[in-house]
Amino acid sequence: MERVHNFNAGPAALPESVIQQAKEELLNFQQTGMSIMEMSHRSKEYDLIHNETKQLLLELLSIPNDYEILFLQGGASQQFALIPMNFLSSNQKAYYVMTGSWSEKALKEAKKIGQAVEFLSSKEDLYRYIPTIEDKKVKQLEDAAYLHLTSNNTIYGTQWNQFPNYKVPLFADMSSDIMSREIKIEQFDFIYAGAQKNLGPAGVTVVIMKKSLIEQCNRSIPAIFQYKTHANKNSLYNTPPTFSIYMLSLVLEWIKQNGGIQQVETINNQKAKLLYDTIDNSQGFYTAHALKDSRSKMNVTFTLKDEHLTNLFLKEAKEHQFIGLNGHRSIGGCRASIYNAVSLNSVQQLSQFMHNFQKRYE
Ligand SMILES: *Cc1c(COP(=O)(O)O)cnc(C)c1O
């Protein structure tokens, strides 16, 4: 069987060459006579992979020296809890920009720990846009432990183009757009991303944090929950998800071989443009969920005239090997997730299919 056109939202498509390489090395990793999965996380073979993965992240994202990279478990959802547990002290507030379901979940967890409040929100308009930060609100941030945002909203299909720049620590959930475009790491104090959208398989969460934050961690919570514990031990305090980190290293190698983030971003822009043009030129047959200047280049969300037509679209798409196009169960409609590993060819074929479908049913 051929591999399908995979538009899954997460876990999502991986580069075929990466899966091939993992397959070739699965039984006997570099003449060790065993799989990487069967090896000690203290072995010299694994240690090399662990540190190479960090090195590749440093290089590809141009991460400055005063940042620490951590490999953690528990997904981005665990970060929703760990961040306030570590950084939200009782005399401070944490501010959350609400741009979708993931921001809601992050805020909900933070509220259990301390004073966490909504800063801005586009909920009243079904999260169709990224709210802009009005000047009058800036004053409110004076007592902020941090300001939290979700750089790409996987479910609603919106994305920040420009990040706010205040004198408060900026924390970002980049689970669904890390490594998809060039960003200035210096703008952020803390970045986290579950791997299963754009980085690799599920199981590892990448954290990129300012080293100066390490000393600010709350030391009264259990050691396993403290960032300092993991930072001090190079993310080897306990057994890390070795196979997921190995897969991450292969994906990063793949990005490097393909010209780095700049080149990946160029292709991502082409892919997104193709789908949004298809939607915009459809005379209303397809309608985009997100407002134009907030549109995500990773998750393209759209609807058709009614539920019947939407279901027919999804059914026929599936028959043509376009997989994962149904919208999130919370908002319905359609969503094409076009992460780094989704090829331009797959997107071209989807665009063609959308044209044909429109011709037959408009
Ligand atoms: C998928 C996703 C999450 C949840 O990730 P888990 O690893 O399942 O906890 C959080 N935030 C964003 C933006 C996501 O896309």
Side-chain angles (χ1 to χ4, degrees), residues 274-305:
L274 199 56
L275 290 189
Y276 286 119
D277 282 351
T278 307
I279 291 167
D280 291 342
N281 297 333
S282 72
Q283 265 99 37
F285 188 80
Y286 302 105
T287 313
H289 177 76
L291 301 189
K292 260 191 181 151
D293 55 3
S294 297
R295 288 174 169 179
S296 166
K297 291 175 177 166
M298 294 280 100
N299 309 97
V300 179
T301 47
F302 59 96
T303 51
L304 289 85
K305 187 175 75 215

Side-chain angles (χ1 to χ4, degrees), residues 76-86 105-106 109-110 113 227:
S77 302
Q78 180 156 299
Q79 298 303 309
F80 297 164
L82 292 187
I83 287 170
M85 282 165 71
N86 276 272
K105 289 198 167 136
E109 292 293 75
I113 309 295
Y227 292 107

Side-chain angles (χ1 to χ4, degrees), residues 4-157:
V4 298
H5 299 293
N6 186 346
F7 295 96
N8 279 329
L14 287 166
E16 193 172 327
S17 63
V18 163
I19 297 180
Q20 272 299 344
Q21 187 178 342
K23 180 184 169 191
E24 277 154 29
E25 298 181 329
L26 195 63
L27 285 175
N28 184 359
F29 180 76
Q30 291 180 2
Q31 306 308 315
T32 55
M34 56 184 139
S35 167
I36 188 77
M37 283 184 275
E38 302 171 289
M39 220 175 265
S40 167
H41 58 296
R42 313 271 176 211
S43 66
K44 95 175 176 302
E45 288 83 4
Y46 175 72
D47 205 54
L48 257 177
I49 293 171
H50 192 86
N51 291 319
E52 260 172 34
T53 313
K54 276 177 82 169
Q55 193 52 44
L56 281 164
L57 280 167
L58 278 175
E59 204 180 304
L60 291 167
L61 285 168
S62 306
I63 301 175
N65 282 334
D66 55 336
Y67 285 78
E68 182 68 51
I69 297 172
L70 303 177
F71 300 130
L72 303 177
Q73 300 188 61
S77 302
Q78 180 156 299
Q79 298 303 309
F80 297 164
L82 292 187
I83 287 170
M85 282 165 71
N86 276 272
F87 302 117
L88 182 52
S89 56
S90 59
N91 58 347
Q92 287 180 309
K93 277 190 190 151
Y95 291 92
Y96 283 74
V97 185
M98 309 307 292
T99 53
S101 317
W102 296 116
S103 329
E104 285 179 8
K105 289 198 167 136
L107 175 62
K108 199 170 165 199
E109 292 293 75
K111 278 186 168 165
K112 293 186 178 160
I113 309 295
Q115 291 186 72
V117 293
E118 229 180 82
F119 181 56
L120 288 167
S121 172
S122 55
K123 184 169 185 162
E124 95 293 335
D125 194 19
L126 283 171
Y127 294 122
R128 271 177 227 281
Y129 66 96
I130 300 291
T132 49
I133 298 184
E134 311 143 47
D135 295 335
K136 67 173 168 17
K137 294 243 180 187
V138 177
K139 251 197 133 69
Q140 278 185 28
L141 288 171
E142 277 163 5
D143 55 352
Y146 57 84
L147 173 67
H148 179 281
L149 61 81
T150 315
S151 59
N152 181 72
N153 300 286
T154 325
I155 293 174
Y156 291 91

Side-chain angles (χ1 to χ4, degrees), residues 130 159-164 181 187:
I130 300 291
Q159 188 174 24
W160 290 73
N161 294 318
Q162 256 189 320
F163 296 102
R181 56 174 171 169
Q187 285 186 283

Side-chain angles (χ1 to χ4, degrees), residues 74-78 80 102 150 152-154 173-176 192 194 196-197 205 339:
S77 302
Q78 180 156 299
F80 297 164
W102 296 116
T150 315
N152 181 72
N153 300 286
T154 325
D173 175 1
M174 292 197 185
S175 293
S176 53
Y192 63 99
Q196 70 272 22
K197 280 44 182 269
T205 306
Y339 301 119

